[in-house]
Amino acid sequence: MGKRSLESRINEEARMLTDAFASKGSAPLDPHANFVTAVSNIICAITFGHRFEYSDPMFQKLTKDMNDVVAEEPGIIKYFPAFIRNGRRRKLLSIRDYMNKEVKEHEKTFDPNDVRDVIDMYISQVRELEKTGQRSELSMEKAWTIVFDFFTAGTETTSTTMTWAMIFMAAYPDIQKKVVAEIQREIGFDSPPSYEHQKTMPYTQAVLTEILRFRPIAPIGVPHRATADMKIKDYDIPKGTNIGMNILYIHHDPKVWGDPEVFRPERFLSKDGKNFVKHDAFMPFGAGRRKCLGEQLAKMESFLFFTNIMQRFKVSLPPGAKADLSYGHRTVTLLPNPYKVLCEER
């Protein structure tokens, strides 16, 4: 599934998303649920080979159950026996049943000469291994867990990034104006954006980067495990130790950033403002060989969704409202506290 195909899918979904925003008229809206739906549809297209209408009841239930399972802190529930069907487990079983249904449908229509999506790729690999008789951890019984990983990792992150982006644009109208001016200059308001445009749009890149610096979606990343005894500075780390990166602290270390509590996209620009500048301490997707494998997809989605929205709408706070840029923990992610914005068509 090539880059061009993904780009067209994302732009198509962005148009559906902006239509959903426009349908609210002048009423304040909470964009989070729409972002979850839109980004989930990208994962559906990649994984299932098709998208859903936003009004589809089954799709609404699937995205809600996925969101609840990821967001809810299991706490003491994780120590209960598996036969105790609490609400979280019931939702997880419902998700499993739907994904197994998709896998079974793919098995019935599978054509090795026409690999349509991720499930087909998985089926192809399993059957190839079965032919050769190689021992493998892959099996069709485990296929749904691969799909589940795609959804949890691919939906929560980008939808939360865009939810932060909207409140930051409403909170900083002067920054929003600079983004819109760059979009007008490089793309215009009548043509769809392309991911290639980001190469000539350093300010927009800097804004999206500063959003992830200020509010990294996964503040401690994904835990890793030491495979051998090691020593780092004065710390002895035994083999088998679980290790997490405190990305939120790294992104707010005053020794590195100087004024970390200030939202300032210019920190990622050259002095003349003409070029985007990378920073070694910026690591919202982790670091090393096992950094997030969805980084490029997330960046493409964020850029295309963001530019499509900024092309079409002026985003602002309702009269009398104040921007709340604090966050609430949702298990392992940072999400803004609920808010509403106005989306006025340009």
Side-chain angles (χ1 to χ4, degrees):
M1 296 172 293
K3 176 181 169 184
R4 290 183 183 276
S5 174
L6 278 175
E7 187 173 301
S8 63
R9 287 180 185 271
I10 295 167
N11 268 330
E12 177 187 353
E13 201 61 48
R15 286 192 289 274
M16 302 287 185
L17 175 69
T18 54
D19 285 346
F21 286 170
S23 70
K24 299 292 183 180
S26 59
L29 63 91
D30 179 347
H32 181 63
N34 282 324
F35 281 131
V36 171
T37 303
V39 177
S40 291
N41 253 334
I42 301 298
I43 301 300
C44 285
I46 295 170
T47 310
F48 301 151
H50 61 84
R51 68 178 299 280
F52 294 89
E53 293 300 322
Y54 289 10
S55 58
D56 188 315
M58 190 285 304
F59 183 53
Q60 290 179 346
K61 182 179 186 304
L62 177 64
T63 54
K64 184 180 185 306
D65 285 351
M66 289 290 299
N67 197 51
D68 289 347
V69 166
V70 173
E72 184 180 331
E73 173 56 61
I76 196 171
I77 291 172
K78 65 185 177 184
Y79 299 108
F80 288 3
F83 63 81
I84 297 179
R85 298 292 180 86
N86 57 68
R88 189 171 190 271
R89 284 186 179 142
R90 282 195 295 272
K91 290 174 182 176
L92 186 57
L93 289 172
S94 175
I95 293 166
R96 181 198 66 183
D97 291 344
Y98 177 77
M99 292 183 175
N100 272 331
K101 179 183 175 183
E102 282 281 355
V103 171
K104 294 297 183 186
E105 289 296 323
H106 275 66
E107 284 187 284
K108 291 178 185 177
T109 58
F110 177 73
D111 178 356
N113 298 313
D114 181 23
V115 176
R116 299 161 293 185
D117 47 48
V118 168
I119 295 178
D120 274 1
M121 291 178 184
Y122 188 88
I123 294 171
S124 177
Q125 185 67 17
V126 169
R127 292 189 178 181
E128 189 63 32
L129 289 168
E130 287 174 349
K131 284 181 185 178
T132 59
Q134 295 181 55
R135 290 177 59 85
S136 171
E137 290 295 319
L138 302 183
S139 69
M140 291 313 302
E141 289 74 23
K142 294 180 180 178
W144 81 273
T145 63
I146 303 297
V147 179
F148 181 79
D149 284 349
F150 264 81
F151 267 88
T152 52
T155 299
E156 173 75 6
T157 48
T158 303
S159 61
T160 302
T161 299
M162 293 312 303
T163 305
W164 277 115
M166 292 287 274
I167 189 64
F168 273 108
M169 290 301 93
Y172 295 97
D174 290 343
I175 291 176
Q176 182 179 168
K177 287 178 183 178
K178 292 180 182 179
V179 169
V180 173
E182 188 172 66
I183 289 173
Q184 185 175 22
R185 183 174 66 250
E186 298 297 330
I187 307 172
F189 291 149
D190 299 322
S191 301
S194 161
Y195 191 49
E196 288 296 311
H197 282 124
Q198 54 95 24
K199 294 179 181 178
T200 59
M201 297 173 66
Y203 191 78
T204 302
Q205 275 196 79
V207 168
L208 289 169
T209 304
E210 178 69 346
I211 289 169
L212 285 175
R213 183 208 60 88
F214 201 87
R215 291 290 180 257
I217 306 310
I220 57 169
V222 176
H224 292 65
R225 182 170 294 169
T227 57
D229 293 339
M230 63 182 70
K231 190 177 184 71
I232 299 178
K233 293 188 175 181
D234 297 328
Y235 296 92
D236 292 312
I237 301 176
K239 179 181 178 180
T241 301
N242 287 335
I243 304 168
M245 294 171 59
N246 192 339
I247 297 172
L248 183 62
Y249 174 81
I250 293 168
H251 282 191
H252 285 262
D253 186 350
K255 295 178 182 177
V256 175
W257 304 98
D259 54 353
E261 299 306 321
V262 176
F263 185 75
R264 185 167 59 83
E266 288 76 12
R267 71 178 80 246
F268 292 103
L269 293 173
S270 58
K271 290 183 178 179
D272 61 8
K274 294 181 178 180
N275 295 293
F276 175 77
V277 177
K278 295 181 180 180
H279 198 297
D280 289 341
F282 175 74
M283 49 184 70
F285 299 98
R289 290 181 298 170
R290 288 177 174 81
K291 65 189 301 188
C292 176
L293 63 82
E295 178 179 357
Q296 291 307 312
L297 174 60
K299 287 181 175 179
M300 181 185 290
E301 287 177 322
S302 297
F303 179 80
L304 293 177
F305 277 125
F306 186 65
T307 49
N308 269 284
I309 292 167
M310 291 294 101
Q311 267 187 327
R312 186 166 177 179
F313 301 106
K314 174 186 176 183
V315 180
S316 60
L317 294 168
K322 292 184 179 180
D324 180 4
L325 300 179
S326 61
Y327 53 81
H329 281 278
R330 302 179 76 228
T331 310
V332 293
T333 58
L334 296 184
L335 184 72
N337 289 310
Y339 68 82
K340 290 188 176 181
V341 291
L342 301 173
C343 291
E344 178 187 347
E345 291 203 63
R346 299 189 186 281

